[in-house]
Amino acid sequence: DGVPTTIAPQSHRAHAILAGFKINWMSMCDAETGSKYWQEEEWGDLMAEREIHIPASILRCRAVAREFQFSSVESMDDLRIEQRIFFQENCME
């Protein structure tokens, strides 16, 4: 599939959840040492595609941990996070 797409919420409930959902921060760090390589705290419109720049030095890590903190006005059941990573327009994961 390879091409990033954003699908707007279809139901009133989904709109309410999105309106009250906020990513407070996200970071990427060495999973073994905890050394932080990247952090972002300004997320704005969650429906917009984002381009981020992560230091090349993260490639020396054997494993990378992605951590994020979010808050939500609405309660959510069965939350599932899906993230796609693209490098040079190719979907890596």
Side-chain angles (χ1 to χ4, degrees):
D1 95 321
V3 178
T5 58
T6 303
I7 301 170
Q10 300 299 308
S11 70
H12 177 70
R13 171 93 174 116
H15 278 282
I17 289 171
L18 182 60
F21 187 87
K22 178 182 178 198
I23 295 176
N24 300 317
W25 56 263
M26 181 176 176
S27 66
M28 296 181 94
C29 58
D30 184 318
E32 294 176 346
T33 67
S35 296
K36 193 175 292 184
Y37 285 84
W38 172 86
Q39 181 164 328
E40 178 66 57
E41 296 177 3
E42 299 296 325
W43 286 88
D45 181 5
L46 296 178
M47 294 302 291
E49 180 180 333
R50 298 187 54 88
E51 181 175 314
I52 62 171
H53 300 276
I54 300 167
S57 55
I58 202 167
L59 296 173
R60 290 192 291 266
C61 299
R62 289 172 39 99
V64 175
R66 290 177 284 212
E67 302 174 323
F68 69 98
Q69 181 187 77
F70 67 90
S71 55
S72 177
V73 173
E74 301 287 327
S75 66
M76 294 183 280
D77 296 322
D78 301 321
L79 176 65
R80 184 180 117 209
I81 304 296
E82 183 175 312
Q83 180 181 27
R84 294 187 188 145
I85 306 296
F86 289 83
F87 179 69
Q88 297 179 346
E89 299 184 25
N90 295 306
C91 187
M92 293 177 58
E93 79 177 49

